């Protein structure tokens, strides 16, 4: 087991903590369960996390489900096994809780593709537009938005906007294009993308589908348009999971982050799931390197030291809360 100071975030050393190496004999899953009880903490995990982290989660789900759960947590501590914007969202909607993220460097290419100052200038060019932002963005971008959405409820969110209103959609242009087709609403798109969902190879998927003629091809809407055009089903992580459980087919080629295959296989042990191939044969591009920064060791240290903690300026949190709450209220109605 890796055992060094890199496993502990710099916040610890700044605060003067000396990270003692994790004892090799510690059973990390049991120790993490024990820490949850001792510290009155709940663990929220996204489907893109490593399987051993998914197995420890109190709540496992897609971005919408995790945001809904985060809003309702009564425990003292929320440990978010996901990426930074997810933990930030949890803090914004449940600010009295201590929110921890095992590795603060667990970012997101989509969130990074939308710097707040550039987005503010873009928004200023369309002063009458309603600003809809995908939850995969920073708190600063949420604060510039009218309403937030996830891939699970984006259609519902867009359909809630009066027909005569112009819409800006950011930051994911692929999801945006998909939504334009699906809802028939013309939207002004920000030019951002997810590196994981843009890595899939159209040609390789087509030839893999020929090798598996009985398999259905399913894809997340963050994927590029040509890939979505050949998909039998398009949906959020939770949507894809639901589809494979309800559909009678026995095998699927899956174009989303490979972490979801763990839960698919668990719920449908008799079915076969094949990760969609990526352009670059030399990398595991269908795995989100940001999501995979979280490890059991970091999770353990994070719970032990209660660091790194997510904190934001109060004014920013207040501005970012309203658009998230608008989304949550719509989801529950
Ligand atoms: P969902 O959880 O909404 O499916 O989004 C996938 C994703 O890319 C999360 O970062
Ligand atoms: Fe961001 Fe894509 Fe990773 Fe999701 S999978 S966290 S959208 S980079």
């Amino acid at each position: 087991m890796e055992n060094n100071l890199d496993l502990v975030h710099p916040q610890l050393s700044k605060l003067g903590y000396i990270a003692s190496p994790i004892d090799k004999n510690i059973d990390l899953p049991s120790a993490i369960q024990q820490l949850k009880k001792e510290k009155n903490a709940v663990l929220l995990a996204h489907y893109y996390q490593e399987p051993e982290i998914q197995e420890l989660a109190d709540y496992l789900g897609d971005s919408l489900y995790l945001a809904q759960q985060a809003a309702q947590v009564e425990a003292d501590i929320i440990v978010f096994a996901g990426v930074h914007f997810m933990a930030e969202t949890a803090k914004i909607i449940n600010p009295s809780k201590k929110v921890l993220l095992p590795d603060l460097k667990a970012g997101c290419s989509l969130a990074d593709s939308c710097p707040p100052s550039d987005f503010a200038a873009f928004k200023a060019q369309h002063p009458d537009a309603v600003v809809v932002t995908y939850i995969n963005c920073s708190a600063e971008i949420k604060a510039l938005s009218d309403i937030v959405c996830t891939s699970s409820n984006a259609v519902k969110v867009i359909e809630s906007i009066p027909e005569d209103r112009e819409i800006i959609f950011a930051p994911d242009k692929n999801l945006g294009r998909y939504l334009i087709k699906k809802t028939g609403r013309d939207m002004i798109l920000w030019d951002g993308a997810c590196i994981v969902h843009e890595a899939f190879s159209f040609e390789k998927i087509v030839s893999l589908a020929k090798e598996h003629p009985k398999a259905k091809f399913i894809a997340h809407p963050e994927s590029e348009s040509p890939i979505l055009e050949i998909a039998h089903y398009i949906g959020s992580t939770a949507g894809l999971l639901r589809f494979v459980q309800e559909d009678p087919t026995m095998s699927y080629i899956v174009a989303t982050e490979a972490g979801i295959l763990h839960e698919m296989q668990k719920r449908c042990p008799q079915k076969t799931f094949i990760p969609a191939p990526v352009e670059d044969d030399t990398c595991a591009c269908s795995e989100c390197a940001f999501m995979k920064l979280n490890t059991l060791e970091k999770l353990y240290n994070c719970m032990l030291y209660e660091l790194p903690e997510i904190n934001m300026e109060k004014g920013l949190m207040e501005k970012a809360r309203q658009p998230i709450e608008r989304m949550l209220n719509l989801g529950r109605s």
Side-chain angles (χ1 to χ4, degrees), residues 1-3 7 20-24 26 28 297 300-301:
M1 183 194 305
E2 207 185 343
N3 239 340
L7 294 173
S20 37
I22 302 172
D23 182 342
K24 280 202 293 290
I26 288 185
L28 286 174
E297 289 82 358
Y300 172 76
N301 271 333

Side-chain angles (χ1 to χ4, degrees), residues 48 83 85-86 107-110 134 136 194-197 222 257 288 290-291:
Y48 295 168
V83 289
F85 74 80
M86 295 178 175
C108 167
S109 69
L110 252 177
Y134 191 32
N136 302 34
C194 160
I195 41 168
V196 177
H197 291 88
E222 286 175 22
E257 213 271 358
C288 175
F290 299 111
M291 286 276 183

Side-chain angles (χ1 to χ4, degrees), residues 139-151:
E140 287 80 2
I141 298 296
K142 290 184 176 83
L144 291 166
S145 312
D146 293 302
I147 186 161
V148 167
C149 71
T150 78
S151 55

Side-chain angles (χ1 to χ4, degrees), residues 177-197:
R177 282 187 193 127
Y178 166 74
L179 292 168
I180 289 173
K181 256 184 120 173
K182 187 96 184 155
T183 62
R185 295 295 292 271
D186 193 19
M187 302 194 291
I188 305 155
L189 302 182
W190 179 262
D191 186 13
C194 160
I195 41 168
V196 177
H197 291 88

Side-chain angles (χ1 to χ4, degrees), residues 97-329:
K97 306 299 169 192
K98 182 179 264 193
V99 178
L100 307 174
L101 178 68
D103 189 328
L104 271 192
K105 293 189 282 310
C108 167
S109 69
L110 252 177
D112 292 347
S113 70
C114 197
S117 55
D118 295 356
F119 187 67
F122 180 75
K123 183 181 156 176
Q125 287 169 15
H126 309 279
D128 299 325
V130 176
V131 179
V132 181
T133 51
Y134 191 32
I135 199 164
N136 302 34
C137 65
S138 65
E140 287 80 2
I141 298 296
K142 290 184 176 83
L144 291 166
S145 312
D146 293 302
I147 186 161
V148 167
C149 71
T150 78
S151 55
S152 276
N153 63 9
V155 170
K156 193 172 184 181
V157 166
I158 287 161
E159 285 174 348
S160 75
I161 299 166
E163 298 255 346
D164 60 340
R165 296 295 305 273
E166 202 178 24
I167 301 173
I168 289 177
F169 185 83
D172 190 356
K173 64 179 173 196
N174 293 315
L175 176 62
R177 282 187 193 127
Y178 166 74
L179 292 168
I180 289 173
K181 256 184 120 173
K182 187 96 184 155
T183 62
R185 295 295 292 271
D186 193 19
M187 302 194 291
I188 305 155
L189 302 182
W190 179 262
D191 186 13
C194 160
I195 41 168
V196 177
H197 291 88
E198 282 217 317
F200 295 117
S201 161
F202 178 80
E203 286 75 19
K204 288 184 192 172
I205 290 169
V206 170
S207 68
L208 189 65
K210 282 186 190 145
E211 280 172 42
H212 300 273
K214 290 193 178 146
K216 276 189 183 159
F217 173 58
I218 58 175
H220 193 283
E222 286 175 22
S223 310
E224 292 177 310
S225 302
I227 290 189
L228 296 180
E229 270 158 30
I230 58 166
H232 294 100
Y233 176 78
I234 300 165
S236 69
T237 320
L240 296 172
L241 200 52
R242 211 169 27 246
F243 179 75
V244 300
Q245 287 173 265
E246 290 168 2
D247 182 67
T249 307
M250 292 305 288
S251 57
Y252 301 88
I253 298 169
V254 185
T256 192
E257 213 271 358
I260 186 66
L261 269 60
H262 175 67
E263 189 64 17
M264 284 181 171
Q265 203 67 76
K266 239 175 107 175
R267 295 200 196 178
C268 309
Q270 73 290 9
K271 296 193 176 189
T272 304
F273 300 101
I274 310 163
V278 292
E279 287 292 351
D280 184 352
D281 294 324
T282 63
C283 82
C285 299
S286 67
E287 293 200 346
C288 175
F290 299 111
M291 286 276 183
K292 265 42 182 194
L293 279 174
N294 296 325
T295 60
L296 274 189
E297 289 82 358
K298 289 182 197 169
L299 182 56
Y300 172 76
N301 271 333
C302 146
M303 295 185 69
L304 187 67
Y305 295 103
E306 299 184 23
L307 284 169
E309 185 182 353
I310 302 293
N311 270 313
M312 274 156 283
E313 197 232 313
K314 210 168 154 237
L316 172 64
M317 287 210 283
E318 274 162 18
K319 277 195 207 138
R321 188 171 309 126
Q322 215 183 21
I324 304 172
E325 277 177 354
R326 281 196 191 112
M327 169 190 82
L328 291 175
N329 292 339

